[in-house]
Amino acid sequence: MSLVAGIDLGGTAINYTFLDQQEKFLIEELCEHPARSKEGPEICLGQIAEGLVIAAHRAGISTSDIAVVGLDTPGPASATGVLSARGSTNFVHADWAGFDIRAGLETKLGKPVTYLNDGNAGALWGHFNIFGGHSQATSISAIIGTGLGGGVITGGHVVKGRSGFGGELGHVLLPYQSIAGIAGIQPICNCGRTGDLESLCSLTAIGKTLLPYFLPKFPDHEYHGMEIAQAAKLVRGMAERGDPLAREIFRVQAHALGVFFDEMINTFDPDALIVGGGAIETGKGFQAWFIQEIRNGMPQQRAEQVGIPIYIMPNGDTAGARGAAIEALEMLRARS
Ligand SMILES: [Zn+2]
């Protein structure tokens, strides 16, 4: 038997999955192991290898069946998995600076390893879930979490770009002034830009920009007197229950996505638009409302473009590992 593994290295946990050549995932649920990235590459890579053995046992396979391993991590990193020399939130230990995590894991495991950043891995899973592993389709995925990740898949392949920043959708600028009901807002992103997608459409944006903007307009709201960071985390649940302030925040996020997707429609004429992440891990009713608001936020479309499908990405918490496995399967197929 010859199959591939997908390994998603997150901030605190490593998530594993396996995919066979019939495109069937051998682990359905979350399969986690502690990450230990803070302790540097040596310990972290050992931890990844140890967790892989445990996960293989759980899936009822032998590690010798694993032909290729797909790895995904948070960025910034090069297209081939060399972590930024400036360090990053998830790789604070000094030894990570400029470390080639793909090659490091390849040496550790003695198997070929492919690399994607976590946004691109999620986008590849969203694409595969709709089109399967043999498609020539194009899709754009936006994943709303703490930040805004995602990716562009054209002809079935991830657009990684020259230096690994392909599909860095959160930092694409929007004509946000065209969104109704936010006159005078100053959406500043952590990257320094004003008015990019992440600056309006992320958990960070809720705490930093949208709640402070809308709260004074709702003087009796229960969020007054609450810490902003705490209130920000409650917004999704309250929006789902119909709270007017929380709905207004999600409407603005949906309209920002609508403006962004409109830019992508006219750039790629894609087969599908896909939305994922914690923000829409909600009931079906709220998801349907959110998708309709995305459409409401789009400028008028040409007749040929109006019917573009917008999907919700399923299995959000396993998306990274699944996408990493799909990339590994592509390598396995190319080799055989
Ligand atoms: Zn930005």
Side-chain angles (χ1 to χ4, degrees), residues 132-158:
H134 287 288
S135 88
Q136 293 300 304
T138 293
S139 71
I140 313 294
S141 289
I143 303 169
I144 316 165
T146 308
L148 189 296
V152 176
I153 314 292
T154 60
H157 299 286
V158 177

mmCIF file of all heavy atoms in Angstrom, residues 132-158:
data_model
loop_
_atom_site.group_PDB
_atom_site.id
_atom_site.type_symbol
_atom_site.label_atom_id
_atom_site.label_comp_id
_atom_site.label_asym_id
_atom_site.label_seq_id
_atom_site.Cartn_x
_atom_site.Cartn_y
_atom_site.Cartn_z
ATOM 1 N N GLY A 132 -12.383 17.556 -6.520
ATOM 2 C CA GLY A 132 -11.565 16.345 -6.534
ATOM 3 C C GLY A 132 -10.134 16.648 -6.935
ATOM 4 O O GLY A 132 -9.755 17.809 -7.150
ATOM 5 N N GLY A 133 -9.315 15.596 -7.026
ATOM 6 C CA GLY A 133 -7.878 15.761 -7.231
ATOM 7 C C GLY A 133 -7.421 15.795 -8.680
ATOM 8 O O GLY A 133 -6.227 15.872 -8.951
ATOM 9 N N HIS A 134 -8.342 15.725 -9.626
ATOM 10 C CA HIS A 134 -7.930 15.683 -11.030
ATOM 11 C C HIS A 134 -8.482 16.854 -11.826
ATOM 12 O O HIS A 134 -8.573 16.797 -13.043
ATOM 13 C CB HIS A 134 -8.404 14.378 -11.689
ATOM 14 C CG HIS A 134 -7.628 13.182 -11.251
ATOM 15 N ND1 HIS A 134 -6.324 12.951 -11.640
ATOM 16 C CD2 HIS A 134 -7.960 12.163 -10.436
ATOM 17 C CE1 HIS A 134 -5.890 11.831 -11.092
ATOM 18 N NE2 HIS A 134 -6.854 11.322 -10.349
ATOM 19 N N SER A 135 -8.867 17.954 -11.152
ATOM 20 C CA SER A 135 -9.579 19.015 -11.864
ATOM 21 C C SER A 135 -8.619 20.041 -12.453
ATOM 22 O O SER A 135 -7.491 20.200 -12.002
ATOM 23 C CB SER A 135 -10.530 19.731 -10.913
ATOM 24 O OG SER A 135 -9.839 20.783 -10.266
ATOM 25 N N GLN A 136 -9.088 20.751 -13.454
ATOM 26 C CA GLN A 136 -8.357 21.889 -14.014
ATOM 27 C C GLN A 136 -9.038 23.183 -13.602
ATOM 28 O O GLN A 136 -8.791 24.244 -14.172
ATOM 29 C CB GLN A 136 -8.328 21.786 -15.547
ATOM 30 C CG GLN A 136 -7.501 20.619 -16.070
ATOM 31 C CD GLN A 136 -6.052 20.725 -15.624
ATOM 32 O OE1 GLN A 136 -5.392 21.720 -15.875
ATOM 33 N NE2 GLN A 136 -5.553 19.709 -14.939
ATOM 34 N N ALA A 137 -9.895 23.109 -12.587
ATOM 35 C CA ALA A 137 -10.713 24.259 -12.202
ATOM 36 C C ALA A 137 -9.902 25.325 -11.470
ATOM 37 O O ALA A 137 -8.780 25.076 -11.018
ATOM 38 C CB ALA A 137 -11.876 23.796 -11.332
ATOM 39 N N THR A 138 -10.498 26.512 -11.379
ATOM 40 C CA THR A 138 -9.906 27.631 -10.644
ATOM 41 C C THR A 138 -10.836 28.016 -9.499
ATOM 42 O O THR A 138 -12.049 28.086 -9.676
ATOM 43 C CB THR A 138 -9.717 28.828 -11.606
ATOM 44 O OG1 THR A 138 -8.729 28.485 -12.576
ATOM 45 C CG2 THR A 138 -9.276 30.082 -10.868
ATOM 46 N N SER A 139 -10.252 28.217 -8.320
ATOM 47 C CA SER A 139 -11.069 28.661 -7.183
ATOM 48 C C SER A 139 -10.294 29.660 -6.342
ATOM 49 O O SER A 139 -9.061 29.675 -6.345
ATOM 50 C CB SER A 139 -11.500 27.469 -6.323
ATOM 51 O OG SER A 139 -10.395 26.939 -5.624
ATOM 52 N N ILE A 140 -11.053 30.484 -5.628
ATOM 53 C CA ILE A 140 -10.490 31.452 -4.689
ATOM 54 C C ILE A 140 -11.079 31.149 -3.321
ATOM 55 O O ILE A 140 -12.302 31.094 -3.170
ATOM 56 C CB ILE A 140 -10.890 32.907 -5.058
ATOM 57 C CG1 ILE A 140 -10.687 33.204 -6.548
ATOM 58 C CG2 ILE A 140 -10.175 33.911 -4.166
ATOM 59 C CD1 ILE A 140 -9.270 33.192 -7.030
ATOM 60 N N SER A 141 -10.207 30.929 -2.321
ATOM 61 C CA SER A 141 -10.682 30.656 -0.962
ATOM 62 C C SER A 141 -10.258 31.770 -0.020
ATOM 63 O O SER A 141 -9.105 32.199 -0.036
ATOM 64 C CB SER A 141 -10.080 29.344 -0.438
ATOM 65 O OG SER A 141 -10.634 28.234 -1.095
ATOM 66 N N ALA A 142 -11.207 32.202 0.819
ATOM 67 C CA ALA A 142 -10.906 33.162 1.879
ATOM 68 C C ALA A 142 -11.247 32.495 3.205
ATOM 69 O O ALA A 142 -12.372 32.007 3.382
ATOM 70 C CB ALA A 142 -11.722 34.429 1.698
ATOM 71 N N ILE A 143 -10.277 32.427 4.113
ATOM 72 C CA ILE A 143 -10.466 31.736 5.389
ATOM 73 C C ILE A 143 -10.375 32.772 6.508
ATOM 74 O O ILE A 143 -9.316 33.375 6.725
ATOM 75 C CB ILE A 143 -9.418 30.621 5.557
ATOM 76 C CG1 ILE A 143 -9.509 29.643 4.377
ATOM 77 C CG2 ILE A 143 -9.619 29.899 6.887
ATOM 78 C CD1 ILE A 143 -8.363 28.655 4.285
ATOM 79 N N ILE A 144 -11.515 32.987 7.183
ATOM 80 C CA ILE A 144 -11.606 34.069 8.177
ATOM 81 C C ILE A 144 -11.297 33.519 9.558
ATOM 82 O O ILE A 144 -12.088 32.781 10.137
ATOM 83 C CB ILE A 144 -13.011 34.703 8.186
ATOM 84 C CG1 ILE A 144 -13.519 34.947 6.762
ATOM 85 C CG2 ILE A 144 -13.002 35.997 8.995
ATOM 86 C CD1 ILE A 144 -15.013 35.216 6.693
ATOM 87 N N GLY A 145 -10.120 33.854 10.087
ATOM 88 C CA GLY A 145 -9.732 33.454 11.434
ATOM 89 C C GLY A 145 -9.241 34.669 12.192
ATOM 90 O O GLY A 145 -9.797 35.763 12.041
ATOM 91 N N THR A 146 -8.186 34.492 12.989
ATOM 92 C CA THR A 146 -7.560 35.630 13.672
ATOM 93 C C THR A 146 -7.163 36.665 12.626
ATOM 94 O O THR A 146 -7.373 37.854 12.799
ATOM 95 C CB THR A 146 -6.320 35.167 14.458
ATOM 96 O OG1 THR A 146 -6.710 34.075 15.278
ATOM 97 C CG2 THR A 146 -5.776 36.285 15.316
ATOM 98 N N GLY A 147 -6.562 36.173 11.546
ATOM 99 C CA GLY A 147 -6.292 37.010 10.378
ATOM 100 C C GLY A 147 -7.169 36.538 9.233
ATOM 101 O O GLY A 147 -8.196 35.891 9.466
ATOM 102 N N LEU A 148 -6.762 36.870 8.003
ATOM 103 C CA LEU A 148 -7.518 36.413 6.834
ATOM 104 C C LEU A 148 -6.541 35.660 5.945
ATOM 105 O O LEU A 148 -5.633 36.261 5.368
ATOM 106 C CB LEU A 148 -8.137 37.622 6.104
ATOM 107 C CG LEU A 148 -9.147 37.436 4.963
ATOM 108 C CD1 LEU A 148 -8.527 36.727 3.732
ATOM 109 C CD2 LEU A 148 -10.376 36.656 5.393
ATOM 110 N N GLY A 149 -6.694 34.330 5.888
ATOM 111 C CA GLY A 149 -5.816 33.519 5.041
ATOM 112 C C GLY A 149 -6.575 33.057 3.824
ATOM 113 O O GLY A 149 -7.702 33.465 3.586
ATOM 114 N N GLY A 150 -5.941 32.193 3.055
ATOM 115 C CA GLY A 150 -6.642 31.665 1.894
ATOM 116 C C GLY A 150 -5.682 31.351 0.789
ATOM 117 O O GLY A 150 -4.478 31.197 1.033
ATOM 118 N N GLY A 151 -6.214 31.291 -0.408
ATOM 119 C CA GLY A 151 -5.342 30.975 -1.517
ATOM 120 C C GLY A 151 -6.077 30.963 -2.831
ATOM 121 O O GLY A 151 -7.305 31.018 -2.891
ATOM 122 N N VAL A 152 -5.259 30.908 -3.878
ATOM 123 C CA VAL A 152 -5.751 30.878 -5.246
ATOM 124 C C VAL A 152 -5.307 29.557 -5.861
ATOM 125 O O VAL A 152 -4.116 29.226 -5.831
ATOM 126 C CB VAL A 152 -5.166 32.061 -6.055
ATOM 127 C CG1 VAL A 152 -5.584 31.987 -7.515
ATOM 128 C CG2 VAL A 152 -5.559 33.382 -5.425
ATOM 129 N N ILE A 153 -6.271 28.792 -6.391
ATOM 130 C CA ILE A 153 -5.944 27.554 -7.093
ATOM 131 C C ILE A 153 -6.307 27.772 -8.555
ATOM 132 O O ILE A 153 -7.466 28.068 -8.867
ATOM 133 C CB ILE A 153 -6.767 26.357 -6.548
ATOM 134 C CG1 ILE A 153 -6.791 26.324 -5.016
ATOM 135 C CG2 ILE A 153 -6.245 25.046 -7.137
ATOM 136 C CD1 ILE A 153 -5.512 26.021 -4.337
ATOM 137 N N THR A 154 -5.330 27.659 -9.451
ATOM 138 C CA THR A 154 -5.642 27.760 -10.882
ATOM 139 C C THR A 154 -5.220 26.460 -11.562
ATOM 140 O O THR A 154 -4.146 25.941 -11.290
ATOM 141 C CB THR A 154 -4.918 28.931 -11.584
ATOM 142 O OG1 THR A 154 -3.515 28.742 -11.444
ATOM 143 C CG2 THR A 154 -5.286 30.272 -10.991
ATOM 144 N N GLY A 155 -6.096 25.955 -12.407
ATOM 145 C CA GLY A 155 -5.801 24.703 -13.095
ATOM 146 C C GLY A 155 -5.507 23.569 -12.116
ATOM 147 O O GLY A 155 -4.730 22.671 -12.407
ATOM 148 N N GLY A 156 -6.105 23.620 -10.940
ATOM 149 C CA GLY A 156 -5.905 22.571 -9.938
ATOM 150 C C GLY A 156 -4.638 22.731 -9.109
ATOM 151 O O GLY A 156 -4.364 21.922 -8.223
ATOM 152 N N HIS A 157 -3.833 23.772 -9.374
ATOM 153 C CA HIS A 157 -2.565 23.952 -8.645
ATOM 154 C C HIS A 157 -2.567 25.216 -7.791
ATOM 155 O O HIS A 157 -3.120 26.243 -8.183
ATOM 156 C CB HIS A 157 -1.392 24.029 -9.631
ATOM 157 C CG HIS A 157 -1.237 22.798 -10.462
ATOM 158 N ND1 HIS A 157 -0.733 21.614 -9.963
ATOM 159 C CD2 HIS A 157 -1.565 22.556 -11.745
ATOM 160 C CE1 HIS A 157 -0.752 20.696 -10.914
ATOM 161 N NE2 HIS A 157 -1.252 21.232 -12.007
ATOM 162 N N VAL A 158 -1.891 25.134 -6.647
ATOM 163 C CA VAL A 158 -1.779 26.284 -5.747
ATOM 164 C C VAL A 158 -0.854 27.340 -6.358
ATOM 165 O O VAL A 158 0.258 27.011 -6.798
ATOM 166 C CB VAL A 158 -1.181 25.849 -4.391
ATOM 167 C CG1 VAL A 158 -0.984 27.055 -3.477
ATOM 168 C CG2 VAL A 158 -2.058 24.807 -3.721
#
